[in-house]
Amino acid sequence: MRTLIFLCCLLIPAAAYAQDPVAISGPDGNLKVEVAVNNGTPVYSASYKGHTMLKNSPLGVLTNEGDFRTDMRYLESEIGEVEKQYTQRKIKQSYVEYRANTLKVTFENEQEKQISLLFHVSNNDIAFRYELPAWGETMATVIEEEATGFIFPSSAKAFLSPMMTPMTGFARTAPSYESGYVADEALENTNAEYGYVFPGLFRIGEDGWVLLSETGVSSEYNASHLSSFADDGYSIEYPSQEQNNGFGSTGAQIGLPGVTPWRTITVGETLKPIVETTIPWDVVEPLYEPSQYYEFGRGTWSWIIWQDNSMNYKDQVTYIDLAAALDFEFILIDAWWDANIGYKKMEELIRYARSKDVGVFLWYNSNGTVNDAFQTPKDKMHTAIARKKEMKWLQENGVKGIKVDFMGGDKQTTMRLYENILSDANDHGLQVFFHGTTLPRGWERMYPNFVGNEAVLASEMLVFVEDVREKEAFYATLHPFIRNSVATMEFGGVVLNKYLNKGNEDGQKRLTTNAFQLATGVLFQNPVQMFALTPNNLTDAPKHELDFMRALPTTWDETKFIDGYPGEYAVIARKHGETWYVAGVNGGAESKVLNLDLSFIPKKDGVLIRDGEEGLTSVQNEVSITDGTFEVEVDSRGGFVIKF
Ligand code: CA
């Protein structure tokens, strides 16, 4: 990995006309940010090719050492540029070149205390953060509120997921980023009581798209979200006091000099920059070295379809054998393994898995002290003492990773727990993914052993909730543009059972086609994917579906937007080595004929799996791209995948 950073500076002193905006553009000149002071309030705006994407929107923070939102005075600006290259196997693209122009603007408040904003503007992304110096002898502060706003032109429509009500849901574990979405909604209707989670997508009339998110949140800050719509726009909101059973501060305690996380704004005329952005990882750095080379891959997971009853030695052997039969790398053994199998027998089970070349992930309850989640093992992850003892056992027995569940809450106290678990796990050679959790904000790069979060209305809700089965295809068309664009997403999908239960004869009927399910294996991106296949699929699924799953990668060198509209349909392409996969799903009520531009794919012949009769798949072994394009028909709630 080679990283080069140039920060060369040109100082623009406070001019006679200090109220004039200072401006910066991205390297190709299309994306422009202006910063000014309006009646004492710092503001910024953004445009793309001259079209307004964000109107003058407020900036500022409130700290326990002073208010930096009003009565502010412009002092000076500094421009520069940044360039870096990095490799990252866990995200949508394995090698990234990042180039941005930078602008640092310094203001002072009435007490003559200074604060700066640092903007990075690349061709399609804006990232900015607040930078706080030491104020004389003051070396620590608490940031209580942030005034950062996002005021859109009146043509804007919103695609947003509401923040869950704290201390509600299963065992009072909310919020866990497991709500539905509104799509193409008038902004004035987006007034959820607790605001909206990141990321949030906005369509700016016919001018383009804006994706808002946040990155670089470590133990040194809280995670934030968008307010509900008020005063013509949205603002950064810190976690509600009610989270974590009311315990812990909502703001951030930082040392000085210190910085906030990055606020990110991805802008495009089309959805291409929205799908392909790497901004969440461009502006962060690894926080520690990996203790070893971590292997990624696919796993089986009995709990998702066979549920709690499968938590016994015999069924877990069956799922280890299933993983081996599918050439999968892992098995995830979910809740209750400690009680129903026991630590001693688990050592035997893990040895059995190893004999089949299957690595083991084990589930843990993060609780604890913050909610009523009762599944065991619990009380093993929330203190350093318990965690290190447990991780020693995991390491001695060759466990590959852990899934830690029920982390609900975005306060700094919870961010510290995430980081402590990740850091201790790395010391013990363990990879970690979280469920019942927040959006990971740059974590794929910051924490080398982090392999994804749930933070989505995931496959378990298909099992539990009829309405989620009804909307499965609708939600799937949103994720490449929103949730899965800014972070990996451990969805736990690809269900080939007709019914989402062990008997597979009646009950929770799946409403999407088999081709749709296979397409989500490519569409939803996470470096470790626990799939919902069941042992019966070895005999009841056609060979071409099993062969597809046997060869499916979970890491990608490139990702490309091909076609789609969030809430209606989505088609993307991903490349692994020399192989391209093109996958699409249709969330609409009617079938769709898509004419796709695949001229960028060098190989012209591929294998197509598409919708067949009655939700089953039809396979065509030698399809070709003619004149750079490819036509495919996709059923309502259907999908397709082509492998070139
Ligand atoms: Ca969950």
Side-chain angles (χ1 to χ4, degrees), residues 176 178 303 403 405-406 435-437 454-458 460-461 464:
S176 52
E178 291 172 84
W303 181 83
K403 164 187 174 180
D405 209 337
F406 305 130
H435 271 227
T437 181
E454 181 185 37
V456 64
L457 204 50
E460 63 181 1
M461 292 301 167
F464 298 141

Side-chain angles (χ1 to χ4, degrees), residues 609-621:
I609 300 179
R610 49 163 294 207
D611 295 319
E613 296 292 308
E614 293 174 5
L616 301 175
T617 52
S618 123
V619 63
Q620 285 169 258
N621 279 317

Side-chain angles (χ1 to χ4, degrees), residues 24 30-35 44-57 119 121 126 151 153 210 265 267:
I24 186 173
N30 291 325
L31 180 59
K32 185 176 176 191
V33 174
E34 291 190 341
V35 182
Y44 75 110
S45 63
S47 63
Y48 192 82
K49 290 189 179 172
H51 296 292
T52 299
M53 293 290 165
L54 280 171
K55 294 162 54 171
N56 264 345
S57 305
F119 288 85
V121 183
I126 301 162
I151 299 178
V210 173
I265 306 167
V267 181

Side-chain angles (χ1 to χ4, degrees), residues 462-630:
L462 297 170
V463 176
F464 298 141
V465 185
E466 169 82 30
D467 180 63
V468 180
R469 286 194 292 281
E470 290 282 347
K471 294 183 182 140
E472 180 182 9
F474 164 73
Y475 290 136
T477 67
L478 297 170
H479 298 324
F481 305 107
I482 309 175
R483 165 66 182 84
N484 208 184
S485 176
V486 299
T488 55
M489 180 173 91
E490 214 292 297
F491 188 87
V494 185
V495 184
L496 293 179
N497 270 15
K498 251 178 124 94
Y499 298 91
L500 281 75
N501 54 48
K502 185 175 178 183
N504 195 24
E505 281 179 354
D506 51 30
Q508 308 102 308
K509 192 175 185 340
R510 174 161 57 84
L511 303 173
T512 52
T513 69
N514 282 16
F516 171 97
Q517 290 294 324
L518 297 176
T520 63
V522 176
L523 206 64
F524 299 167
Q525 189 265 323
N526 204 71
V528 172
Q529 297 224 54
M530 300 304 172
F531 289 124
L533 299 177
T534 53
N536 52 289
N537 295 150
L538 286 178
T539 50
D540 62 21
K543 183 173 177 300
H544 65 261
E545 295 182 7
L546 297 175
D547 287 347
F548 173 81
M549 293 306 295
R550 278 195 180 98
L552 185 64
T554 60
T555 56
W556 304 100
D557 296 313
E558 279 183 61
T559 291
K560 272 183 184 291
F561 167 68
I562 306 295
D563 198 2
Y565 188 93
E568 295 180 11
Y569 70 108
V571 185
I572 65 163
R574 296 193 199 273
K575 184 183 176 211
H576 177 92
E578 293 310 310
T579 306
W580 277 100
Y581 286 78
V582 181
V585 293
N586 177 10
E590 306 292 332
S591 72
K592 258 189 176 58
V593 177
L594 301 174
N595 209 321
L596 308 171
D597 178 0
L598 302 183
S599 52
F600 64 92
I601 296 179
K603 198 170 163 230
K604 298 301 168 202
D605 299 315
V607 178
L608 166 70
I609 300 179
R610 49 163 294 207
D611 295 319
E613 296 292 308
E614 293 174 5
L616 301 175
T617 52
S618 123
V619 63
Q620 285 169 258
N621 279 317
E622 286 180 25
V623 295
S624 346
I625 302 170
T626 38
D627 298 333
T629 64
F630 188 84

